[in-house]
Amino acid sequence: EPASFAPLVPPPDRLWADPFPLRAGDRHYIFFEELRYATGRGRIAVLEIDRRGRTSPPSIVLERDHHLSYPFLLEWQGRLYMIPESSENGTVQAYRCESFPDVWRSERILMSGMALLDPTLVEYGGRWWMFANRAEDGASTWDELHLFHADHPFGPYTPHPRNPVRSDVRAARPAGWIVRENGALIRPAQDCSVRYGYALSRQRIVHLDEQVYEETGVSRITPDAARGILGVHTLNAAGDLAVIDRLVRR
């Protein structure tokens, strides 16, 4: 339950969102979006956390002249990559970790000329799949899930013929890593039916290939308004560390 998580509270002049944890040896780190209200522009930060919940001061690891968020982490062929959301720039770009955890270099642009929200990659059936939201005409960035596929994680990517593969404000926009549970792929999704980042829906992928996409809901995580929690937005885990972001008034 979201209320059972130990809170990490940002300074009052900024918000933290989109946590992606990483276990490196016996140490745990959390990468996340930090947005200062004065600039309105997100950047990527990291902090270290120990088993007692004590954290290091956060440090900025990636900042550009456009908004960055959702620091999706990908370990592939012995290297660590980050593919943050950069829809304001019209790109999906991968960065390679040169010196962990705070030195990242541009690796490759996966897609350009398209504003894709929260790109989330998974390997399945011998291919790489990218899930991301895109605003269709007359719809918001919360509503329409698009799917792309490639034979390499860095593309080139081909749009799925069924795009948008999901048109549903309750379960379209990605909300973290796609994980394998009991042989099935589980895709966390945002439920923005009440407000942006209101709740989480866990979707089981039933069929995924180059012609067909099907999924079904298996569970939901809803905020506990009685405890002052107004939204839950992203869910991820690494090792025995689970992280979720939540919306509260202060």
Side-chain angles (χ1 to χ4, degrees):
E1 291 296 323
S4 68
F5 282 65
L8 300 178
V9 181
D13 65 341
R14 65 198 63 189
L15 65 78
W16 291 346
D18 299 342
F20 279 82
L22 184 71
R23 180 177 178 179
D26 59 353
R27 304 168 77 174
H28 288 82
Y29 300 82
I30 303 174
F31 292 82
F32 55 95
E33 172 198 353
E34 176 178 275
L35 185 146
R36 292 172 297 167
Y37 300 128
T39 67
R41 178 176 293 151
R43 55 189 184 173
I44 306 303
V46 67
L47 57 78
E48 184 177 354
I49 184 168
D50 68 14
R51 291 187 175 274
R52 296 183 181 180
R54 298 174 300 191
T55 63
S56 68
S59 59
I60 303 305
V61 300
L62 198 60
E63 188 169 17
R64 293 292 184 266
D65 59 2
H66 53 268
H67 178 78
L68 295 175
S69 61
Y70 198 79
F72 180 89
L73 298 175
L74 173 66
E75 295 185 76
W76 184 66
Q77 294 188 344
R79 300 298 299 264
L80 178 64
Y81 300 90
M82 182 192 298
I83 305 171
E85 183 205 304
S86 54
S87 61
E88 185 180 302
N89 196 44
T91 60
V92 177
Q93 186 164 0
Y95 296 85
R96 182 181 69 254
C97 187
E98 290 284 305
S99 178
F100 186 82
D102 55 356
V103 180
W104 298 79
R105 299 283 183 255
S106 177
E107 175 74 11
R108 191 178 305 182
I109 294 177
L110 281 59
M111 300 184 70
S112 62
M114 189 181 301
L116 295 177
L117 285 296
D118 301 340
T120 301
L121 277 62
V122 68
E123 187 179 16
Y124 176 78
R127 295 194 65 72
W128 284 87
W129 305 87
M130 180 193 298
F131 295 77
N133 264 43
R134 182 185 182 191
E136 293 285 292
D137 290 343
S140 82
T141 58
W142 309 346
D143 295 346
E144 310 287 351
L145 178 67
H146 286 243
L147 181 58
F148 307 85
H149 58 88
D151 56 12
H152 187 284
F154 298 151
Y157 278 89
T158 300
H160 196 279
R162 296 285 183 90
N163 279 341
V165 295
R166 180 91 194 214
S167 298
D168 186 350
V169 71
R170 299 166 299 175
R173 189 160 167 171
W177 281 310
I178 296 170
V179 298
R180 288 174 169 83
E181 290 184 6
N182 301 319
L185 291 179
I186 304 296
R187 185 183 73 85
Q190 294 185 40
D191 177 348
C192 299
S193 58
V194 176
R195 66 178 66 88
Y196 174 71
Y198 167 68
L200 288 168
S201 176
R202 300 178 77 248
Q203 302 292 117
R204 179 168 60 87
I205 296 175
V206 177
H207 194 118
L208 173 59
D209 63 30
E210 294 171 46
Q211 299 299 322
V212 177
Y213 180 75
E214 296 177 7
E215 67 177 29
T216 186
V218 293
S219 63
R220 296 179 76 247
I221 301 173
T222 56
D224 187 347
R227 293 177 179 265
I229 302 173
L230 304 179
V232 286
H233 173 260
T234 308
L235 174 66
N236 282 306
D240 53 4
L241 172 65
V243 289
I244 193 168
D245 54 3
R246 61 190 192 182
L247 175 67
V248 297
R249 288 195 177 95
R250 58 178 182 178

